[in-house]
Every structure is written in structure tokens, then in C-alpha cells.
């Protein structure tokens, strides 16, 4: 029944044919069960594990690597290779891909986990009236038409229409559904609001919410998927996870890179068709296989196998730097009024605090205001303990949760209670202790103060007459608290009663003794104002989205002070209903100016995210409740509160451990630094891999022997490239990182000018590697000192007479020189990547000690494979002489000079103009903002 909130109680009862004094009959229960279904959220079909695994390999780069691994293995078998040499390269490639797939599968399961955790908010049992008797039944057995009784602490088992109040009021905490900051009062009257949102349906109890005060009866009107919680589930199922902006750009770049690599590999094979019949190959088919093997080696060289691992590692390092620690401080009881405040707070109270060891958090049962008083009693402590904080800290968290409150409850026996009513605006409880009876009262100051005739003194606990001057001073303090400081205030009082009295009446609530005022507030943190201003400086819009009413939200924003530059909120603040009623064109304008969005329900939050994304905005959404999950999932970056629900956390990309908006700003700064470092290590790895491609491609064009074997390329890509690339993630954050405007949605990770720089450095790396190889054959004292023509005609050596042995072309020294040049030049290139445009004279190598350490470790590993024999045989290398090392350094160092020239061009206007001209050729893909 979707419009139960707009129907009278009699209409709803008549619709379900139920007698409110007897409930449904067994026959009706069975009939309604068949008609409306069970009260459970349906089990959604999970994606089979094997499909999740296969999905991780649905990537062009990955497919090329898999093909390269398989072909490499088959070619090794065709050439008669066995053992480690045949399996090494394909095994390493497949292990890397398996590790990346595992990370992907874990990420994919988060969305399904969020849906599963939604069921945790379903109640376990319900007190239901059937056949004229109340009984406790599993909540899953409820059907529409059931009469259910609820009281303090009860989790609402289904969507229900209120039909009877059993106390003066019923209050429900429905923050997980609506985001309202305070509990809401429920009533019996019909709601006549047009286009009513959840907050307007004041006669409906929503499934999964919790009763915090009072007792009432209601009739079930919706079960399972036909509840507010079911609507959230359906919305989450329809919402596809948005890929983070960084991952989108990396995916685009990966696809582009894969296409280029595939094209180059095919080109290398095609240009060598004329060499297929060379005598050295022993036939056309064997020649084709030989150059196909070179093409495979080229694919291995071009693809940065270690890039996914390096990205993950650097993101993890950035995340670690955002961790924060917090502390809590207590105050012991040493003042009489403070001590009696603790007594009244603990005794005149129907709430509870408990520690949940499974969630490792404290949980509240009851009204938030009363829970705050419980916490106050714990902070005040107990009399006679000078070392109270350290003593209480020795207790377990379960004991500590309500230790002081339990002390007062054990000291005083509750005899009678006068419940809170709207007309009195107060509550009283009669307690007995050691032949003394005391009535404790709490309530609105405007209700308590007029009933007080005395006041307690802080010095000695004595009672004196409440004079007009003192009363005026208290009232002034109250108005200051409630007005300027926007505190929610309660007044506390007590009264000595006659011994033996067993009940309280409203007449007893007079001639009270005033104890004190209690002010409470969940204040905006001091750092929020500066955080919001930092966002504005960085070009980030902040929109306040809340389930609270418009006045409350605007008042809080004014209190924060971050919107002081606005004269008022006219045209900037909208309720959900106001926004929905705007014409399409005005909606577009409102979205561009909106600062506050109030009285929202889950569908509005998701709508806001989608609307902003349609305007090419990158949207980060924060939230903590179940109601926030669809929007968190839809947003480009979903941010959940650390204290929020498990559903919100599972639907998010990021969790704020300290629930602090300022942490988001710090995360943005860290994210920008991570992005810059990501560009740097992509630049480092791609330029290095371009060098390997150039090396193999040029060697094939020149017709000289293979400069590097596949296993050497794999070693360079994984070990010697991976370590410095990871260390680049430790580059320091620029001081002006939050002064830069956000990147455009369609801006590629690698711009045209930057890719040109990749090519220049890559070409030099490749030519230097080739030069080292040729130098050994032509000029090295340890080499054969051949004419260049002999090197070009190496494949015909067995068919003609020479004055040197043909085995010289299988010597391991030339490829060792090439490999060492490649490693050393990449170490120098790593230093180039301390900054995209700043010179090494400005940002010296020692600014990142991790990078220097990784370079040292990389060179140590390289020396080990050169000089330790089992490794040197495995990698087809040989020890180098000092003369050979000297040539390696001569060939490697110029990469520093070349990059310094390119950086100089980038820092000057000519580089900027060249950047613009180069980007116009659309060399790199530019994604559309969003496919809608």
C-alpha cells in the first residue's frame, strides 16, 4: 500500500481487513503471505567467481601479453628448448597477470558486499497481534495487515502505518534512511503533503529505523522489496559503479598503448619478410618463425608489465600518509552541582550505551539527547576518585561504556516515572536511596525554571532561595547558549519527597531545586571553514546535501563561516521539492549555482550526482547512512564516514576514519600529488619501454644480431624499472598543489607534448643501447673489431669464409653491454622524473632518498646477475671490464642533458605553443566526459 500515509487509520485497516483489537487470523496471514510475499530483501544473483576472473583479462594490453606468453612458450618448444629456459618468461608474465586479476576480483566484490550488508538492517523479531494474542515471531514472517507493537530500542521490522499511541509520544531515529540529524516524532494524523518525501510521512515507521522513545502500535503496509529499504536496494542494483577518473585515464592510455604496440609488432614482422629466406634461418618458414619471435620480444619490451603493481603501490603509499590519530580526555567529579548533574543525567534517562565487540564501536539505544546525557555522566565520573581517568581506563570497553551510569542506578532505586509530554516539556523520576526519596527532573529550561524555587550551591551542596536576580542571570545564560552559541539546552532539577511515596503526579513538579543547565551540540569542526575555503581556491565546489530542513542547514552553513562571501542563500539553497518543480532550463542554472540541497531522500542524492555528471563535473559524494549508498556508488568518488554504516562503506571508494571534512581536502591535495607522481612514473616506464622497442626495431632494420633476449627484457621491465618507478611515488608534494585549478574531465593523462618527450627520450635510450652493442663488435679491446658490413651480414657467416669464428655472434658480452646501457640510462632517466618540468638543479636527487636507495638496490641486483654465475647463465650475460663500464656511462649520461633541454622548453612559452600544436593532431585518445 504505497499511499498509506495519506489514508486515515480506518481506511488502512479496512484495506487489509484487519481488526486492530485482534489482528489477523491464521488464514489471513497465509493468504496475505501468498499475495504480498515474504518480508525479506530478495537474494540477488551474484556474479560467478569464474566470470569475475575472466573479466579481469578483458583488456587489450593483457590479451597481448597472454598471447606473447603462449607464443613464447610454443616457440621455445619448437626450437627444442626444455626446462627453466622454456617456461621462465611465460611463467613470469602469467604470474603478474594473475596477481593483477586477484586485485580486480577483490574490488569487484565490494558492490555485492554492500547489497549483502543491507540485510543487516532488517529486524530479527517482532511483537505481533494475531488471533487476539500478542506473540513474538520472526520478522520475516510478517505480512501486510499485521498489527505490531514497538517500544524503545526496537528495530522497525517493516514499513508500518501508525494506528495507536501507547505513550505520550513516539520518536524514531531514521537517520540511516533520511540523514536527519535528530530523531523525529511520529503521529497518527494523515499526511496531506503533495509529492511527500520520507521526512513528510510522519505517520509511517520505516523498516530498519529504530525507536528511541515511547511505545506505539502500527499496521504493516509494506514488506520486503516494497519498503523504503527495498527501494534503496533496487536503486543500488540499477546503479553501475563509476570508475575513478584516474583509472579511466589509465585505461584510455593502456588501450592506446596496446594499439600502438600491436601495430609496431606487425610492422617489424612485415618489414623483415625479405629476410625470411636468409640461409641462416634454414628456410622461409623458419625465417618467418624467427622474426615472429622478435615481434613477440618486442611486445614484451613495449608493455610495462610492472605498471599496474607500481600504480597500486604508489596509491597505497599516498593513502598511508593520510592516516590520523585521535584522543579522548575525561574529567573527574569534584563539584556538588556537577555530581548531582551526573546523578540526574543517569537516572532521569531511558536510553543506553553499549560496546559492540564485533563492530569495535559504541552503540546507542534510545533518544540521542538522552544518550548525550549518559555520556556526560561517564565524563563527570564518580565521587572520591582523584585518579578517575586512569582508574576507568583500566576497565574493558564493555564495562567502561556505562560504568558510572550503572553505579548511580545501583545506588538509587527507581520507584515511579512521569513520562515526557509535549505540553509539560519535561520528565521526572522518583528514586529511593537509604530512606531518602528524591525526584529528579529534566526538561526544557523554559519549563523547569518557572517550577524552581531554590538553587543548589556548588561550594558545599547547600540549597538557597532562587532570587529574581539569580533567576534572571540563569535565563540570560540560557538565552546566550540557545541563541548565539546554538546549543540545545536542558535544565536539571531535584526535589526531596516524602518517604514512602510510590507514585508521582504532575502536581509534584513544583518547588524544585535548580541543579544546572546542560548544553549540547554536534559542532562544525573549527578546521571546516578553512577546508571549504581551500576547496574554493582549488576550484572545487562544495554543495551541502542533507535531510534536515532548509532553515537548519542554512543556519549551520552560516555558523561554519565558509559562506560569508555570500550575502544570502537566495538562488543557492533549494529543497528537493523546490528543485524538482523548476523548469528544465532553471534546473540547469540552479545546478551551476547550488550551495545547499535540503529535505532530500535517497533518490534525490543520486539524481544530483547524475545531473552534475551530465554537466561534465567530476563528483565526489560523502555520506554515512544506508540512504547514501546509491549516490555513493554512482559518484565518481564515493566517500563514507568511518562511523557510518557498513553499507555506505562498501558502496564507497574511500572511508574517512575521523569523519572530518578537512581530511577530504587533505586527501584531494594528496590525490593531486599522487596523480603528478603517477604521471612521472608512467613517463619513466613508458619512455624506458619505448627505448626497448626502438632498440629491437632498429636492430631488425639494420640486420644486426638480436641486441637483447626476451628474458633480459623481462628482467629490465620488472626489476630495474619497477623499483625506481615505485620510489618516484615518494616525490614530495608541490607547495602550490591546492592552488591549481582542477583538470578538465577530458584531459588525457599523457598530453601530446609529454608524449613527444617520451619519444625523444625513448629514441635516445634505444639508440644508446644499440650503440653499446655495435661498439663491442667494432671497437672493444675484448671484441673481434669487425668491419660494420660484417656485422650486418652476420647471418651469412656460416656460408662464407671469414677470418673470425662465427661463434662470435653468440658471445654474451655485446648483449651484456646493451643490457647494462639500458639499465644505467634508465637510472639516470629516473632522476629526470623527480619533477615534470623542474631542473635537477632546483630539485636535486637527494630530495627523494627513496629513489636514490632504489637506484642503488637496482644496480646491486644488476651487478649480481653479471658476476654470479648461475644468474649470469640464466640471463645470458657476462662480467664487464672497467673499459666496458666506462663506455656504458658515456652512453648513458647524455639522457640527463637531453631531458634538461626538454624541461627548459616546457617552462617557456615556446614549449606551451608547441604543446598546443602537437595536441591538435589527436595523437592520444580523449575520452568523452560521460556516456549518457
Amino acid at each position: 500500500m504505497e499511499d498509506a500515509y495519506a489514508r486515515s487509520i480506518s481506511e488502512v485497516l479496512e484495506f487489509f481487513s484487519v481488526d486492530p483489537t485482534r489482528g489477523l487470523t491464521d488464514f489471513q496471514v497465509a493468504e496475505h503471505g501468498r499475495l504480498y510475499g515474504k518480508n525479506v530483501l530478495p537474494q540477488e544473483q551474484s556474479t560467478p567467481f569464474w566470470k569475475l576472473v575472466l573479466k579481469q583479462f578483458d583488456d587489450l594490453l593483457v590479451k597481448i601479453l597472454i598471447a606473447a606468453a603462449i607464443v613464447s612458450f610454443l616457440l621455445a618448444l619448437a626450437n627444442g628448448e626444455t626446462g627453466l629456459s622454456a617456461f621462465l618468461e611465460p611463467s613470469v608474465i602469467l604470474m603478474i597477470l594473475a596477481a593483477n586479476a586477484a586485485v580486480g576480483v577483490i574490488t569487484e566484490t565490494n558492490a555485492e558486499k554492500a547489497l549483502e550488508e543491507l540485510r543487516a538492517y532488517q529486524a530479527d523479531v517482532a511483537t505481533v497481534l494475531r488471533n487476539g494474542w500478542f506473540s513474538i515471531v520472526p520478522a520475516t514472517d510478517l505480512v501486510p495487515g499485521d498489527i505490531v507493537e514497538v517500544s524503545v530500542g526496537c528495530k522497525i521490522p517493516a514499513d508500518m502505518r501508525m494506528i495507536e499511541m501507547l505513550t505520550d509520544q513516539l520518536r524514531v531515529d531514521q537517520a540511516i534512511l533520511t540523514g536527519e540529524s535528530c530523531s523525529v516524532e511520529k503521529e497518527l494524523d494523515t499526511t496531506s503533503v503533495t509529492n511527500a518525501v520520507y521526512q513528510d510521512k510522519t505517520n509511517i515507521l520505516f523498516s530498519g529505523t529504530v525507536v528511541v522513545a515511547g511505545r506505539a502500535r502500527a499496521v504493516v503496509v509494506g514488506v520486503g522489496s516494497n519498503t523504503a529499504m527495498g527501494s534503496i536496494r533496487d536503486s543500488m542494483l540499477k546503479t553501475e559503479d563509476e570508475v575513478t577518473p584516474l583509472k579511466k585515464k589509465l585505461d584510455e592510455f593502456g588501450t592506446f598503448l596496446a594499439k600502438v604496440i600491436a601495430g609496431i609488432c606487425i610492422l617489424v614482422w612485415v618489414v623483415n619478410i625479405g629476410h625470411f629466406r636468409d640461409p641462416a634461418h634454414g628456410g622461409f618458414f623458419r625465417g618467418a618463425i624467427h622474426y615472429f619471435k622478435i615481434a613477440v620480444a618486442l611486445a614484451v619490451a613495449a608493455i610495462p608489465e610492472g605498471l599496474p603493481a607500481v600504480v597500486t603501490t604508489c596509491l597505497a603509499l599516498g593513502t598511508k600518509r593520510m592516516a590520523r590519530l585521535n584522543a579522548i580526555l575525561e574529567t573527574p567529579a569534584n563539584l556538588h552541582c556537577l555530581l548531582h548533574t551526573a546523578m540526574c543525567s543517569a537516572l532521569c534517562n531511558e536510553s543506553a550505551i553499549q560496546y559492540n565487540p564485533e563492530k569495535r564501536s559504541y552503540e546507542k539505544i534510545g533518544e540521542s539527547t538522552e544518550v548525550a546525557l549518559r555520556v556526560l555522566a561517564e565524563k563527570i565520573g564518580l565521587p572520591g576518585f582523584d585518579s578517575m581517568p586512569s582508574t576507568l581506563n583500566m576497565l574493558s570497553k564493555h564495562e567502561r561504556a556505562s560504568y558510572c551510569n550503572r553505579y548511580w542506578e545501583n545506588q538509587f532505586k527507581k520507584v515511579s516515572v512521569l513520562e515526557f509530554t509535549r505540553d509539560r516539556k519535561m520528565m521526572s523520576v522518583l528514586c529511593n536511596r537509604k530512606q531518602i526519596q528524591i525526584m529528579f527532573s529534566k526538561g526544557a529550561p523554559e519549563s523547569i525554571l518557572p517550577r524552581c524555587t531554590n538553587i543548589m550551591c556548588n561550594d558545599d551542596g547547600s540549597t538557597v532561595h532562587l532570587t529574581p536576580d539569580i533567576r534572571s542571570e540563569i535565563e540570560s545564560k540560557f538565552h546566550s547558549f540557545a541563541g548565539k552559541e546554538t546549543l540545545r539546552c536542558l535544565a536539571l532539577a531535584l526535589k526531596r519527597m516524602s518517604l514512602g511515596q510510590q507514585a508521582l503526579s504532575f502536581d509534584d513538579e513544583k518547588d524544585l531545586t535548580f541543579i544546572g543547565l546542560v548544553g549540547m551540540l554536534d559542532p562544525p569542526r573549527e578546521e571546516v571553514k578553512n577546508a571549504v575555503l581551500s576547496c574554493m581556491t582549488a576550484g572545487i565546489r562544495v554543495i551541502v546535501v542533507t535531510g534536515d530542513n532548509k532553515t537548519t542547514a542554512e543556519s549551520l552553513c552560516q555558523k561554519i563561516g565558509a559562506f560569508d562571501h555570500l550575502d544570502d542563500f537566495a538562488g543557492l539553497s533549494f529543497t528537493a521539492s523546490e528543485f524538482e518543480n523548476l523548469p528544465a532550463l532553471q534546473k540547469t542554472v540552479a545546478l551551476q549555482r547550488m550551495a545547499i540541497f535540503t529535505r532530500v531522500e535517497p533518490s534525490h542524492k543520486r539524481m544530483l550526482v547524475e545531473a552534475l555528471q551530465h554537466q561534465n563535473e567530476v563528483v565526489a559524494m560523502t555520506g554515512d547512512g544506508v540512504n547514501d549508498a546509491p549516490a555513493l556508488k554512482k559518484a565518481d568518488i564515493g566517500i563514507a564516514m568511518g562511523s557510518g554504516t557498513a553499507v555506505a562503506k562498501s558502496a564507497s571508494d574511500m572511508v574517512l576514519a575521523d569523519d572530518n571534512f578537512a581530511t577530504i581536502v587533505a586527501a584531494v591535495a594528496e590525490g593531486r600529488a599522487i596523480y603528478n607522481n603517477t604521471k612521472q612514473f608512467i613517463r619513466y616506464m613508458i619512455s624506458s619501454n619505448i627505448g626497448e622497442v626502438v632498440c629491437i626495431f632498429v636492430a631488425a632494420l639494420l640486420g644486426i644480431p638480436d641486441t637483447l633476449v626476451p628474458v633480459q627484457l623481462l628482467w629490465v621491465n620488472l626489476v630495474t624499472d619497477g623499483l625506481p618507478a615505485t620510489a618516484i611515488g615518494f616525490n614530495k608534494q608541490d607547495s602550490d598543489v591546492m592552488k591549481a585549478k582542477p583538470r578538465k574531465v577530458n584531459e588525457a593523462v599523457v598530453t601530446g607534448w609529454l608524449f613527444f618527450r617520451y619519444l625523444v627520450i625513448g629514441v635516445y635510450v634505444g639508440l644508446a643501447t644499440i650503440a653499446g652493442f655495435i661498439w663491442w663488435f667494432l671497437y672493444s679491446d675484448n671484441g673481434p673489431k669487425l668491419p660494420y658490413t660484417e656485422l650486418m651480414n652476420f647471418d651469412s657467416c656460416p656460408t662464407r669464409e671469414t677470418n673470425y669464428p662465427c661463434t662470435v655472434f653468440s658471445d654474451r658480452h655485446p648483449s651484456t653491454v646493451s643490457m647494462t646501457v639500458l639499465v644505467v640510462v634508465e637510472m639516470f632517466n629516473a632522476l629526470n622524473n623527480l619533477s615534470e618540468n623542474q631542473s635537477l638543479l632546483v630539485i636535486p636527487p637527494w630530495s627523494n632518498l627513496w629513489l636514490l636507495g632504489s637506484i642503488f638496490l637496482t644496480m646491486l641486483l644488476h651487478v649480481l646477475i653479471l658476476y654470479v654465475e648461475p644468474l649470469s647463465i640464466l640471463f645470458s650475460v657476462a662480467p664487464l671490464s672497467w673499459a666496458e663500464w666506462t663506455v656504458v656511462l658515456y652512453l648513458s649520461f647524455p639522457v640527463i642533458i637531453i631531458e634538461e633541454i626538454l624541461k627548459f622548453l616546457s617552462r617557456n612559452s615556446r614549449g606551451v605553443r608547441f604543446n598546443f600544436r602537437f595536441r591538435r593532431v589527436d595523437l592520444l585518445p580523449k575520452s568523452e566526459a560521460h556516456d549518457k
Side-chain angles (χ1 to χ4, degrees):
M1 191 176 187
E2 295 183 356
D3 62 344
Y5 65 90
R7 303 281 190 95
S8 66
I9 294 174
S10 58
E11 285 179 305
V12 176
L13 294 174
E14 183 180 351
F15 181 86
F16 292 111
S17 304
V18 59
D19 181 350
T21 63
R22 295 190 56 81
L24 296 176
T25 64
D26 290 341
F27 174 79
Q28 286 178 306
V29 170
E31 190 66 26
H32 288 194
R34 283 192 295 271
L35 185 61
Y36 300 107
K38 289 182 69 67
N39 185 29
V40 293
L41 293 178
Q43 180 78 37
E44 51 282 337
Q45 186 176 359
S46 61
T47 307
F49 181 76
W50 63 271
K51 282 190 177 181
L52 285 178
V53 174
L54 286 181
K55 185 179 179 181
Q56 310 313 312
F57 295 93
D58 187 19
D59 180 88
L60 194 54
L61 268 180
V62 172
K63 290 174 181 175
I64 292 176
L65 268 179
I66 292 174
I70 294 172
V71 171
S72 175
F73 176 66
L74 294 176
L75 290 178
L77 292 182
N79 289 337
E81 297 179 27
T82 58
L84 186 61
S85 60
F87 290 97
L88 179 63
E89 183 181 326
S91 297
V92 172
I93 291 175
L94 292 177
M95 280 192 292
I96 294 167
L97 295 179
N100 289 334
V103 173
V105 168
I106 292 170
T107 303
E108 294 261 343
T109 56
N110 274 348
E112 293 181 4
K113 185 180 178 184
L115 288 169
E116 185 65 32
E117 285 169 339
L118 197 58
R119 294 191 186 85
Y121 294 91
Q122 292 179 290
D124 296 322
V125 295
T127 302
V128 62
L129 176 65
R130 288 176 180 172
N131 302 309
W133 298 92
F134 276 103
S135 60
I136 297 176
V137 301
T140 54
D141 291 347
L142 288 181
V143 297
D146 265 328
I147 305 298
V148 177
E149 185 171 307
V150 295
S151 57
V152 176
C154 283
K155 187 179 290 185
I156 305 299
D159 280 9
M160 304 189 295
R161 167 66 158 91
M162 294 273 291
I163 63 171
E164 183 182 0
M165 286 281 195
L166 300 178
T167 54
D168 292 308
Q169 67 165 350
L170 184 85
R171 298 190 69 85
V172 176
D173 181 353
Q174 56 186 39
I176 65 166
L177 184 65
T178 63
E180 291 165 290
S181 56
C182 299
S183 62
V184 295
E185 186 173 348
K186 294 296 182 178
E187 54 190 28
L188 302 178
D189 297 338
T190 300
T191 301
S192 58
V193 178
T194 305
N195 297 325
V197 296
Y198 293 142
Q199 293 92 325
D200 298 323
K201 299 175 183 179
T202 54
N203 55 21
I204 298 293
L205 305 178
F206 296 107
S207 174
T209 60
V210 179
V211 178
V212 297
R215 193 161 63 97
R217 288 177 187 165
V219 59
V220 175
V221 295
V223 295
S225 295
N226 297 317
T227 61
M229 203 65 71
S231 299
I232 292 176
R233 169 194 171 275
D234 293 341
S235 179
M236 290 176 68
L237 282 174
K238 294 175 185 176
T239 303
E240 294 185 5
D241 279 318
E242 287 291 324
V243 179
T244 61
L246 177 58
K247 190 175 188 307
K248 287 179 185 175
K249 298 306 176 188
L250 291 176
D251 288 346
E252 290 168 18
F253 183 68
T255 301
F256 165 74
L257 189 62
K259 292 176 180 177
V260 172
I261 290 168
I264 292 176
C265 291
I266 294 170
L267 181 63
V268 167
W269 193 74
V270 170
V271 298
N272 281 288
I273 289 178
H275 295 283
F276 287 3
R277 297 185 183 277
D278 288 351
H281 302 314
F284 181 88
F285 180 74
R286 286 186 174 274
I289 293 295
H290 173 78
Y291 287 103
F292 187 65
K293 190 173 182 179
I294 291 177
V296 171
L298 192 62
V300 174
I303 297 175
E305 293 90 343
L307 181 58
V310 170
V311 171
T312 302
T313 302
C314 288
L315 290 177
L317 292 172
T319 302
K320 185 178 179 180
R321 291 196 291 266
M322 289 188 273
R324 298 288 186 271
L325 293 175
N326 301 287
I328 298 174
L329 177 67
E330 300 186 50
T331 61
N334 55 11
L335 299 173
H336 287 278
C337 288
L338 200 58
L339 192 61
H340 283 80
T341 295
M343 291 182 197
C344 188
S345 298
L347 297 170
C348 200
N349 203 314
E350 298 295 324
S351 69
I353 307 172
Q354 61 186 20
Y355 181 72
N356 188 326
E358 293 181 0
K359 297 182 179 179
R360 296 183 180 178
S361 63
Y362 293 94
E363 296 178 341
K364 66 182 180 73
I365 300 174
E367 176 65 53
S368 296
T369 302
E370 293 199 329
V371 172
L373 292 177
R374 292 276 189 199
V375 174
L376 175 62
E378 295 298 326
K379 288 184 176 180
I380 293 173
L382 301 175
F385 286 82
D386 294 334
S387 59
M388 179 58 65
S390 59
T391 304
L392 291 179
N393 287 335
M394 295 172 64
L395 300 172
S396 68
K397 290 184 177 181
H398 176 73
E399 294 173 312
R400 181 66 191 92
S402 55
Y403 185 86
C404 298
N405 281 275
R406 283 199 304 270
Y407 171 84
W408 294 119
E409 288 170 346
N410 291 333
Q411 291 291 314
F412 290 86
K413 178 184 176 183
K414 285 188 181 181
V415 178
S416 178
V417 176
L418 275 180
E419 296 283 356
F420 178 93
T421 59
R422 275 179 279 184
D423 55 340
R424 289 163 46 243
K425 295 183 180 179
M426 63 182 294
M427 169 192 179
S428 298
V429 57
L430 178 64
C431 299
N432 182 294
R433 179 178 185 262
K434 297 180 180 179
Q435 301 301 307
I436 297 175
Q437 295 217 171
I438 300 177
M439 181 182 73
F440 291 100
S441 299
K442 78 167 191 293
E446 61 269 27
S447 296
I448 295 288
L449 262 176
R451 301 170 190 261
C452 293
T453 55
N454 301 299
I455 184 170
M456 179 178 288
C457 296
N458 231 349
D459 297 335
D460 56 4
S462 61
T463 299
V464 298
H465 179 64
L466 183 59
T467 65
D469 289 342
I470 297 176
R471 185 184 300 275
S472 176
E473 188 176 344
I474 294 173
E475 289 176 347
S476 175
K477 181 62 72 175
F478 159 59
H479 290 305
S480 173
F481 282 172
K484 184 178 179 181
E485 299 184 38
T486 64
L487 297 175
R488 184 176 185 183
C489 295
L490 290 176
L492 306 180
L494 59 79
K495 179 182 180 181
R496 289 285 294 269
M497 306 297 290
S498 303
L499 187 64
Q501 184 171 339
Q502 296 299 312
L504 288 176
S505 68
F506 296 152
D507 291 335
D508 291 322
E509 294 178 324
K510 61 184 180 181
D511 298 327
L512 306 179
T513 298
F514 184 80
I515 300 174
L517 279 175
V518 174
M520 57 192 74
L521 175 70
D522 184 5
R525 306 187 190 216
E526 293 181 2
E527 61 268 30
V528 169
K529 178 179 180 179
N530 290 334
V532 173
L533 293 176
S534 295
C535 284
M536 293 177 180
T537 303
I540 301 169
R541 281 180 63 198
V542 177
I543 301 178
V544 178
V545 183
T546 177
D548 282 326
N549 64 59
K550 192 173 183 178
T551 304
T552 301
E554 291 178 356
S555 174
L556 179 62
C557 289
Q558 288 172 340
K559 187 174 180 63
I560 290 173
F563 299 93
D564 290 346
H565 61 288
L566 302 175
D567 295 330
D568 56 47
F569 290 107
L572 304 174
S573 177
F574 300 89
T575 65
S577 298
E578 290 171 348
F579 181 78
E580 285 186 324
N581 292 330
L582 290 175
L585 184 59
Q586 290 185 32
K587 276 186 180 180
T588 302
V589 175
L591 276 172
Q592 295 170 348
R593 302 187 62 209
M594 183 184 290
I596 303 174
F597 196 38
T598 56
R599 300 301 280 177
V600 299
E601 58 182 40
S603 60
H604 295 132
K605 294 183 179 182
R606 183 183 170 193
M607 175 271 293
L608 178 63
V609 171
E610 290 179 340
L612 290 169
Q613 289 174 336
H614 271 300
Q615 294 189 350
N616 292 347
E617 301 280 7
V618 175
V619 183
M621 170 67 80
T622 63
D624 58 359
V626 173
N627 61 316
D628 297 317
L632 289 171
K633 188 177 179 184
K634 181 62 182 173
D636 297 285
I637 303 293
I639 306 171
M641 302 297 113
S643 62
T645 62
V647 177
K649 292 177 186 177
S650 295
S652 300
D653 303 292
M654 169 182 167
V655 176
L656 293 182
D658 59 357
D659 291 1
N660 194 337
F661 181 81
T663 303
I664 299 178
V665 180
V668 171
E670 190 61 46
R672 289 185 172 189
I674 291 172
Y675 179 81
N676 292 338
N677 290 343
T678 300
K679 286 177 64 177
Q680 289 305 96
F681 63 66
I682 288 177
R683 169 186 167 196
Y684 167 68
M685 297 188 79
I686 299 301
S687 62
S688 298
N689 285 37
I690 289 175
E692 297 167 16
V693 170
V694 169
C695 171
I696 295 174
F697 188 72
V698 172
L701 287 179
L702 295 178
I704 63 177
D706 298 340
T707 52
L708 297 167
V709 297
V711 71
Q712 293 172 340
L713 290 170
L714 203 59
W715 169 263
V716 171
N717 281 353
L718 292 179
V719 181
T720 59
D721 280 0
L723 291 176
T726 303
I728 288 171
F730 286 93
N731 284 352
K732 292 183 179 179
Q733 184 183 115
D734 292 342
S735 58
D736 60 349
V737 70
M738 286 301 285
K739 294 180 182 178
K741 296 300 179 185
R743 301 182 309 277
K744 293 181 180 179
V745 174
N746 60 351
E747 180 181 314
V749 174
V750 181
T751 60
W753 166 245
L754 198 57
F755 191 74
F756 174 77
R757 287 169 61 178
Y758 289 0
L759 288 175
V760 172
I761 295 298
V763 167
Y764 177 78
V765 170
L767 293 179
T769 304
I770 290 282
F773 185 84
I774 295 174
W775 170 84
W776 188 88
F777 279 104
L778 272 61
Y779 304 109
S780 173
D781 292 335
N782 297 329
K785 295 188 177 180
L786 302 176
Y788 180 67
T789 54
E790 289 293 319
L791 184 60
M792 291 183 62
N793 295 310
F794 78 98
D795 50 356
S796 63
C797 180
T799 64
R800 55 190 175 84
E801 291 187 7
T802 60
N803 57 0
Y804 56 89
C806 292
T807 55
V808 72
F809 296 114
S810 59
D811 194 302
R812 289 183 292 164
H813 278 86
S815 65
T816 303
V817 172
S818 288
M819 181 182 178
T820 306
V821 169
L822 184 59
V823 170
V824 176
V825 76
E826 289 182 8
M827 295 306 100
F828 283 123
N829 194 28
L831 296 177
N832 287 331
N833 287 277
L834 285 167
S835 172
E836 183 174 331
N837 295 315
Q838 290 298 326
S839 168
L840 281 173
L841 298 176
V842 177
I843 302 179
W846 51 87
S847 65
N848 187 341
L849 296 178
W850 288 100
L851 181 58
L852 292 182
S854 69
I855 291 173
F856 174 79
L857 181 57
T858 298
M859 290 308 302
L860 180 63
L861 292 172
H862 185 69
V863 169
L864 282 176
I865 69 168
L866 294 188
Y867 294 96
V868 177
E869 189 160 304
L871 293 174
S872 62
I873 295 173
L874 178 63
F875 289 97
S876 299
V877 293
L880 297 182
S881 66
W882 177 247
E884 290 166 335
W885 275 106
T886 302
V887 171
V888 165
L889 291 174
Y890 279 141
L891 290 172
S892 302
F893 184 77
V895 76
I896 295 279
I897 300 172
I898 295 172
E899 181 62 17
E900 286 293 313
I901 294 172
L902 292 172
K903 286 181 178 180
F904 175 79
L905 293 175
S906 295
R907 292 193 300 270
N908 288 273
S909 58
R910 288 175 57 191
V912 173
R913 289 198 297 271
F914 183 78
N915 181 15
F916 175 73
R917 292 197 302 270
F918 194 81
R919 288 184 63 178
R920 289 182 61 186
V921 304
D922 293 331
L923 179 64
L924 294 179
K926 302 290 197 310
S927 69
E928 294 298 323
H930 285 280
D931 296 328
K932 297 294 181 188

